[in-house]
Structures are given as C-alpha cells and as structure tokens.
Amino acid sequence: MGYIRALGYIGIGAKDLDAWQEFATRILGLQVTRVRDAENADTLFLRMDSRHHRIAVRAGDDELSYVGWEVASEADLDQQARDLEAAGVAVKEDPQLAELRGVNRLIRAQDPAGFQLELFYGAAVVSTAFVSPTGVRFVTKDPKGNDLGLGHIVLVAPNADEMIDFYLRVLGFKVSDYITFKPLVLTFAHVNPRHHSLAFAPAPEGRKPFIDHFMLEVDTLDGVGRALDQVRTREISVTASLGRHTNDEMVSFYMKSPSGIGVEYGTSGKLIDDETWAVTNWDAAQFWGHDRDHTH
Ligand SMILES: [Fe+2]
C-alpha cells in the first residue's frame, strides 16, 4: 500500500454544458476544450497546468462520475492492484478507458461508497503553455516541483468509517487531522505534501453518497478575489464567504458549480511533511469567515 501519489483527475456529469463552459472559463480560469465523443455526448476537458486535462465534464446527470488517483509507475500500479485484490476488492484493467482518459494504463475499482476509482499512471502532458483566461496560476506542484495533484475532494457517505478504513488501509492514505463539530467528525487525508487530497464526512443512513466539493488552489489572493468579483457579477451562488480554514490554512470561498457540486477556490494552502507532522483534532473549520448564512 501507499502507491498513490496524487489526485490526478476527476470526472463529473453536467446537464448544462454551456453553463459549465462559461463557469470554467470566466470564474475558475481554466482552459476549456470541447469535444464530441463517439456516443455523441459533449465533453469539456478543463486544463489547469501541463496535463492535457485535470477535470472532464461530460453531458449527463449532475454528479461525480469518477476519481483518478495517480501512481508513479507501472510497477506501482500493478502492486496497488494486487493489494486491492488481496483486500477483496474487484479490480479491472480497462485499456479503452485509459485511451479515453489519456493515460498509459488504468485500473478501475469501486470504493465502499460506490464511487468509481481509477488508478493510473502515465498521464498525458502537453508541450504548449497553459494560459488561463482569467490570468490565474494553479498550484499543482510544491516548491520543489513535486506534483500535488489538482486539489482536493470531499466525499460524503453514510458508511464514512468504512470509506476511511479502505482509503487508509488499502490505498495507503494518511490522516492529516480531524475537525470535530460534535457529533460530526470530518477526517482529512493526504498522499503528498498537500495538506489533504481527500476528506470524508458522514451522511445520514440511506443517503446516496455524493461529492460535497472539489477545491482548486491558485497562487495569489488577488486571483481568489477577482474570481469572487466575477461570481458576484454573474450572480453565481456563494455557499461560504471568504474565510481561512484552520487545518490547511487555505483562504478560500465556496460556490455552487452549474452541476450543483460545490467548488472551493482558494490560496495559501498548507504543505505538510510526514517526517514532522502529527495528527490533531480541531474544534472549528475556520479561523474567520466562511459564513454560510449571509453570503450575498
Ligand atoms: Fe475543502
């Protein structure tokens, strides 16, 4: 275990691709390529760095479709697949899907909440420069140039404990810390120096698992502020006002994407080092801000 290096990509479905294209371009500052696939469905490939894309938005129901976790090499992919099988998890190598995602090899599986996991290595990188339509730069590497992945995701499921056990024990994620709002506990986990690439929240029994939000990080507060101005101009729903998180120290705001999935847009996220890190349990999610009541 412990072969996953980063949150490589995510795929989401959207009923309104035109709205998503506008949102990705004008608010998030991502480069958008729109293509029609063999099944005649449109897909938006959203680029934020040298990777061909980090997010794919495909015409369909408004939901998280898959999560791509990246390993470093072919040997690591095979080893992680063996570990999954040893833990009783069905895995399937899928060359067609690998082709579609633009990766060398891909193995898919389901996590305990039923989310589609795609473990892959050999992501497509392109030689042309990434140019943001809003002039932002995304933080996808640490200062040494190591990949930090696209950001983070927060998954909500009734069987959160089972999910946490699976991601820690079978996939090798490490706990960063917890935030406790009694009786609710949020669990944050990392696979690289980004404070968390994945967080878990419990949901009431019977509730369909869902993604609460994904987070994208830009390199300046001005980038966040300008996005917030655009959000207000375009009357996009702000679900938490500007604030600073306790645990990862991210200065961010939250908004609703056209799929209803939340997007956290922030800067100054904490990097951690396993050598010196100790797990803590915070009593609040923010030092200030992130007001969820009076957001307009
Ligand atoms: Fe977040």
Side-chain angles (χ1 to χ4, degrees), residues 152 154 196 213 215 245 254 264:
H152 68 235
V154 177
H196 61 282
H213 69 270
M215 186 284 299
H245 278 305
Y254 290 69
E264 179 182 6

Side-chain angles (χ1 to χ4, degrees), residues 35-276:
V35 298
R36 179 152 296 182
D37 65 22
E39 289 160 21
N40 220 21
D42 272 3
T43 299
L44 307 175
F45 287 116
L46 309 184
R47 185 179 171 197
M48 59 193 290
D49 57 11
S50 63
R51 298 291 173 89
H52 174 270
H53 68 280
R54 291 285 199 171
I55 302 171
V57 186
R58 190 167 187 268
D61 285 342
D62 290 332
E63 60 185 13
L64 177 67
S65 308
Y66 53 84
V67 180
W69 293 106
E70 181 167 2
V71 302
S73 66
E74 185 158 32
D76 283 6
L77 186 67
D78 289 332
Q79 197 55 55
Q80 184 61 71
R82 279 195 283 272
D83 285 1
L84 279 158
E85 281 180 322
V89 180
V91 299
K92 188 171 175 0
E93 170 122 28
D94 194 331
Q96 261 183 327
L97 211 50
E99 171 95 33
L100 209 59
R101 305 283 189 257
V103 300
N104 280 14
R105 276 181 60 202
L106 182 156
I107 284 163
R108 62 187 164 83
Q110 275 197 350
D111 76 10
F115 291 112
Q116 176 160 318
L117 297 183
E118 299 181 359
L119 302 168
F120 74 93
Y121 92 96
V125 282
V126 284
S127 53
T128 55
F130 165 72
V131 181
S132 165
T134 61
V136 291
R137 279 195 302 193
F138 290 93
V139 178
T140 57
K141 288 185 187 314
D142 73 7
K144 288 184 206 146
N146 300 311
D147 189 47
L148 296 171
L150 74 89
H152 68 235
I153 56 173
V154 177
L155 301 178
V156 189
N159 59 342
D161 289 345
E162 218 184 316
M163 286 282 279
I164 292 163
D165 183 63
F166 170 78
Y167 279 90
L168 298 186
R169 197 174 48 79
V170 184
L171 295 178
F173 284 63
K174 294 193 174 104
V175 171
S176 308
D177 44 34
Y178 304 95
I179 299 177
T180 299
F181 314 89
K182 280 185 179 131
L184 195 78
V185 180
L186 306 180
T187 304
F188 297 81
H190 62 277
V191 287
N192 60 44
R194 190 188 288 288
H195 174 278
H196 61 282
S197 292
L198 177 59
F200 308 92
E205 209 51 55
R207 174 90 209 246
K208 189 180 173 210
F210 65 99
I211 179 170
D212 179 79
H213 69 270
F214 64 84
M215 186 284 299
L216 303 181
E217 181 177 0
V218 296
D219 69 343
T220 66
L221 184 58
D222 291 339
V224 177
R226 289 193 185 106
L228 191 50
D229 276 356
Q230 279 299 311
V231 163
R232 291 199 166 121
T233 302
R234 289 161 192 269
E235 297 184 336
I236 284 163
S237 168
V238 175
T239 49
S241 64
L242 194 68
R244 188 190 286 274
H245 278 305
T246 47
N247 62 345
D248 70 352
E249 299 175 11
M250 183 81 70
V251 177
S252 60
F253 70 94
Y254 290 69
M255 64 194 131
K256 220 181 234 188
S257 74
S259 302
I261 295 170
V263 182
E264 179 182 6
Y265 202 75
T267 192
S268 302
K270 192 181 183 70
L271 297 179
I272 64 178
D273 177 355
D274 274 326
E275 297 284 309
T276 53

Side-chain angles (χ1 to χ4, degrees), residues 28-40:
L28 303 181
L30 298 162
Q31 263 182 296
V32 181
T33 308
R34 188 167 181 152
V35 298
R36 179 152 296 182
D37 65 22
E39 289 160 21
N40 220 21

